[in-house]
């Protein structure tokens, strides 16, 4: 059983709650490792079709663990296992939804940006305050933030260490929805369960195609999309989906 | 923390916070800000508290910023009033607006400057007949702060808001009631009793539901119609899960008086 996470099953979705209440869910190496392991379990489990990740009412995650970081010198940083954990989180193949309340700062903001969909409570705050400590974001903060909110705001957040409100995050496109804080997790689960009812292979390839859009030029991206689209023609779920639509009934997807 | 500049007590679900620098018409200095902040923190953290009553001691309610306070007194350097607002007034206004319980303001006398706008951040404003509201900022080259530029146009319309803010004239309590700036005017001698009566009533009501009402109405001033309908859906969803809703329905069905716990 993980020490720093609480995992709950909700039908075909998993809710992973970061649980280090005394440290505003600061992302220790232990926590990151447990999260990577848990996501691996979710990836391997055919009954899991989507995952929601959340923190507490007060903090999604307020950054990395500074005590840990202070102990690492240059060589220690090079051998840092965290890098590998982040990579495993990045490679999670199923839909990942972040339900963010309170602080999502530094590594916490970066973790939220690893999710495919971000839902924020009205009082959520996003920021990359690393610069205030003489360091900089090290887990995608300079890359994913720029792609999500555009250059000027990303620069302001990263260089001046200024946080933004949920409202601004919505306007900038960092999050897709704002909810009342009491309902953030519920709303995220609702979306996750909606996704879980779709054809898993279509969801997986669609997620992959969307992520390619950030890395590839348009022509290559379109080519990838077409290949993925074509692949789905070979699935039983595609036939079921089209037939259910014609017969005006709910489709029953099997994941094959 | 013992209080020197305010009186603070909690009794039967009612927290009473009275500004207490009567010689200075209860104007704010850094110390009073600190005490008010502490008192509001206690209100927020004490589950027994179900309503807050804010008022002032002596003949004034609050004359805004104490201009003799070293934090804003013009010295060798131009003071950064933005910083004073960021540090003191904005957190106070935000707290009053966001408190998840009804906030009653009993305006016992003159309310000037920030003191005229603090009541507007509260939920129910009663004023003594002799009380008055003065947007005094324009007389010293400043703009209405503490939420005044936001509240005034919404409460009395842009034309009257501009007249109040640009002229800085004294608005009587009765006029304020007629304009819809405040809820009700009462005779001076009855202000405390009326305010307490209201507070004691609210302390027996479904506090959580009232907090959601407050939240929804505050939000309505910024939301468009669709967003507000969505918000009503979400807040009703939360309200429907409360103990008090169950009690309210049960009492209605059984034709008895409900006993609300505020949860």
């Amino acid at each position: 059983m993980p020490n720093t996470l609480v995992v709950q099953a909700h039908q075909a979705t998993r809710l992973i709650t970061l649980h280090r209440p005394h440290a505003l869910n600061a992302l220790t190496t232990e926590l990151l490792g447990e999260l990577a392991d848990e996501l691996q379990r979710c990836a391997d489990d055919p009954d899991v079709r989507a995952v929601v990740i959340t923190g507490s009412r007060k903090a999604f995650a307020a950054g990395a663990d500074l005590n840990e970081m202070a102990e690492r010198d240059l060589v220690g940083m090079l051998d840092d296992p965290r890098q590998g954990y982040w990579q495993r989180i990045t490679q999670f193949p199923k839909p990942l939804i972040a339900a963010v309340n309170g602080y999502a700062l530094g590594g916490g903001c970066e973790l939220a940006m690893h999710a495919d969909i971000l839902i924020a409570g009205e009082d959520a705050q996003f920021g990359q305050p690393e610069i205030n400590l003489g360091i900089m974001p090290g887990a995608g903060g300079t890359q994913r933030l720029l792609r999500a909110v555009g250059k000027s705001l990303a620069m302001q957040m990263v260089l001046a260490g200024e946080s933004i409100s949920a409202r601004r995050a919505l306007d900038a496109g960092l999050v897709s929805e704002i909810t009342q804080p009491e309902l953030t997790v519920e709303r995220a689960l609702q979306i996750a369960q909606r996704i879980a009812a779709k054809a898993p292979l279509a969801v997986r390839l669609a997620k992959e195609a969307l992520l390619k859009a950030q890395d590839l030029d348009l022509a290559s991206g379109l080519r990838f999309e077409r290949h993925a689209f074509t692949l789905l023609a070979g699935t039983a779920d595609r036939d079921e989906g089209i037939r259910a639509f014609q017969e005006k009934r709910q489709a029953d997807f099997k994941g094959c | 923390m013992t209080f020197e500049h305010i009186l603070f007590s909690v009794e039967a679900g009612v927290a009473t916070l009275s500004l207490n620098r009567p010689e200075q018409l209860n104007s704010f200095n850094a110390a009073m800000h600190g005490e008010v902040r502490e008192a509001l923190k206690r209100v927020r953290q004490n589950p027994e508290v179900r309503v807050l009553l804010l008022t002032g001691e002596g003949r004034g309610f609050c004359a805004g910023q104490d201009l003799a306070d070293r934090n804003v007194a013009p010295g060798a350097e131009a003071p950064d009033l933005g910083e004073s607002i960021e540090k003191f007034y904005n957190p106070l206004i935000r707290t009053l607006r966001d408190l998840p319980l009804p906030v009653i303001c009993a305006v016992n006398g003159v309310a000037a400057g920030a003191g005229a706008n603090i009541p507007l951040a509260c939920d129910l404003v009663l004023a003594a007949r002799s009380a008055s509201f003065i947007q005094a900022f324009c007389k010293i080259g400043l703009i209405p702060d503490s939420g005044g530029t936001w509240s005034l146009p919404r409460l009395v319309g842009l034309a009257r808001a501009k007249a109040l803010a640009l002229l800085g004239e004294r608005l009587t309590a009765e006029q304020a009631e007629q304009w819809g700036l405040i809820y009700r005017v009462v005779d001076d001698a009855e202000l405390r009793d009326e305010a307490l009566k209201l507070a004691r009533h609210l302390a027996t009501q479904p506090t959580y539901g009232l907090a959601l009402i407050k939240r929804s109405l505050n939000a309505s001033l910024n939301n468009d119609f669709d967003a507000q309908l969505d918000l009503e859906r979400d807040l009703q969803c939360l309200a429907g899960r409360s103990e008090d809703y169950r009690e309210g329905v049960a009492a209605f069905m059984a034709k008895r008086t409900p006993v609300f716990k505020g949860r």
Side-chain angles (χ1 to χ4, degrees):
Chain A
M1 279 310 284
N3 273 323
T4 55
L5 305 176
V6 179
V7 184
Q8 292 163 294
H10 291 259
Q11 293 149 13
T13 66
R14 290 285 175 279
L15 173 63
I16 301 177
T17 305
L18 309 180
H19 190 67
R20 295 188 66 233
H22 305 300
L24 293 175
N25 291 330
L27 304 175
T28 53
T29 301
E30 179 195 26
L31 188 151
L32 270 186
E34 288 185 346
L35 181 60
D37 290 346
E38 188 55 44
L39 287 174
Q40 190 60 58
R41 278 193 286 276
C42 292
D44 295 342
D45 184 343
D47 293 338
V48 178
R49 292 189 177 182
V51 173
V52 173
I53 179 170
T54 191
S56 67
R57 173 72 187 77
K58 200 168 163 189
F60 176 74
D65 191 282
L66 288 178
N67 303 327
E68 268 190 1
M69 197 182 301
E71 285 167 11
R72 268 193 227 106
D73 57 8
L74 177 71
V75 177
M77 279 290 191
L78 283 172
D79 296 337
D80 190 351
R82 297 169 72 91
Q83 184 54 25
Y85 297 150
W86 281 116
Q87 260 164 4
R88 287 169 54 199
I89 295 167
T90 305
Q91 283 156 4
F92 180 62
K94 293 172 183 179
L96 181 62
I97 301 173
V100 179
N101 279 317
Y103 301 111
L105 301 176
C109 185
E110 289 169 314
L111 177 59
M113 289 191 292
H114 276 70
D116 303 310
I117 299 171
L118 273 76
I119 305 297
E122 210 147 43
D123 56 6
Q125 275 186 47
F126 297 85
Q128 301 286 166
E130 288 91 341
I131 203 83
N132 301 331
L133 307 174
I135 53 175
M136 61 177 273
T142 63
Q143 307 299 305
R144 291 192 176 89
L145 191 64
L146 182 119
R147 286 167 167 80
V149 306
K151 177 179 145 191
S152 184
L153 182 54
M155 287 279 184
Q156 193 174 332
M157 287 170 72
V158 172
L159 303 185
E162 288 180 7
S163 307
I164 59 171
S165 65
R167 186 67 41 191
R168 280 198 75 192
L170 178 75
D171 292 342
L174 181 64
V175 309
S176 62
E177 261 188 48
I178 295 185
T179 61
Q180 296 302 298
E182 299 94 324
L183 295 169
T184 316
V185 174
E186 240 172 278
R187 177 64 186 139
L189 279 169
Q190 201 177 55
I191 296 168
Q193 272 154 358
R194 193 161 293 175
I195 293 172
K198 313 292 181 208
L201 291 170
V203 167
R204 186 181 170 154
L205 286 171
K207 167 173 169 163
E208 225 172 312
L210 281 158
L211 288 175
K212 289 279 186 243
Q214 297 191 318
D215 311 331
L216 298 179
D217 59 281
L218 181 60
S220 315
L222 289 170
R223 225 180 2 258
F224 180 89
E225 182 192 68
R226 195 69 218 170
H227 289 322
F229 183 82
T230 309
L231 263 184
L232 290 176
T235 62
D237 276 350
R238 190 197 74 149
D239 300 341
E240 163 65 10
I242 292 173
R243 209 169 329 120
F245 180 80
Q246 287 167 336
E247 294 167 9
K248 297 191 174 54
R249 59 171 174 84
Q250 198 69 36
D252 179 22
F253 294 119
K254 302 277 190 248
C256 51
Chain B
M1 177 174 199
T2 52
F3 296 130
E4 272 177 68
H5 305 298
I6 64 172
L7 303 175
F8 182 69
S9 62
V10 176
E11 201 189 326
V14 180
T16 306
L17 194 176
S18 192
L19 306 176
N20 191 22
R21 298 180 75 223
E23 305 307 308
Q24 292 77 22
L25 289 176
N26 302 326
S27 61
F28 273 92
N29 58 12
M32 189 163 96
H33 268 296
E35 293 185 9
V36 169
R37 181 174 297 191
E38 171 63 26
L40 291 175
K41 194 168 121 190
R42 291 183 197 180
V43 167
R44 217 180 12 236
Q45 289 174 345
N46 181 350
E48 301 293 302
V49 175
R50 288 167 67 179
V51 59
L52 169 65
L53 172 56
L54 177 64
T55 188
E57 294 298 307
R59 58 195 178 85
F61 167 69
C62 173
Q65 174 64 36
D66 185 341
L67 295 178
D69 183 49
R70 63 186 162 77
N71 273 299
V72 295
E77 276 183 72
D80 184 347
L81 297 191
E83 196 186 9
S84 152
I85 284 181
E86 191 63 39
K87 206 162 135 190
F88 295 120
Y89 289 97
N90 284 358
L92 166 63
I93 294 296
R94 284 195 177 107
T95 302
L96 291 171
R97 246 177 78 87
D98 293 345
L99 271 177
L101 41 82
V103 179
I104 300 168
C105 186
V107 182
N108 52 297
V110 70
N117 292 329
I118 288 166
L120 308 184
C122 301
D123 303 314
L124 292 163
V125 185
L126 300 179
R129 204 165 298 280
S130 69
S132 58
F133 297 83
I134 310 167
Q135 297 292 330
F137 306 91
C138 58
K139 296 182 191 294
I140 53 170
L142 297 182
I143 70 162
D145 58 29
S146 306
T149 61
W150 189 89
S151 305
L152 287 169
R154 286 169 167 77
L155 292 167
V156 300
L158 201 53
R160 282 171 169 166
K162 281 184 176 166
L164 288 172
L166 292 169
L167 299 171
E169 287 173 348
R170 187 172 165 274
L171 185 75
T172 65
E174 287 180 351
Q175 191 81 71
E177 182 195 67
Q178 280 167 23
W179 284 11
L181 189 72
I182 61 170
Y183 166 50
R184 207 150 60 86
V185 176
V186 292
D187 290 329
D188 289 25
E190 285 163 19
L191 179 72
R192 273 279 164 124
D193 286 349
E194 282 295 311
L196 268 174
K197 204 163 82 185
L198 200 58
R200 287 186 185 127
H201 161 71
L202 284 171
T204 66
Q205 296 305 294
T207 311
Y208 180 62
L210 299 183
L212 295 178
I213 292 176
K214 169 175 174 168
R215 203 152 114 189
S216 61
L217 289 171
N218 281 341
S220 74
L221 296 165
N222 293 347
N223 277 344
D224 61 29
F225 187 59
D226 273 334
Q228 192 66 16
L229 288 178
D230 289 349
L231 181 69
E232 284 182 1
R233 175 200 62 207
D234 292 348
L235 296 187
Q236 201 72 300
C237 160
L238 294 173
R241 294 174 190 175
S242 66
E243 269 180 56
D244 282 345
Y245 169 63
R246 279 203 294 276
E247 166 63 11
V249 173
F252 178 82
M253 293 299 186
K255 296 192 170 54
R256 60 172 174 84
T257 311
V259 181
F260 294 120
K261 298 203 178 98
R263 300 193 286 271

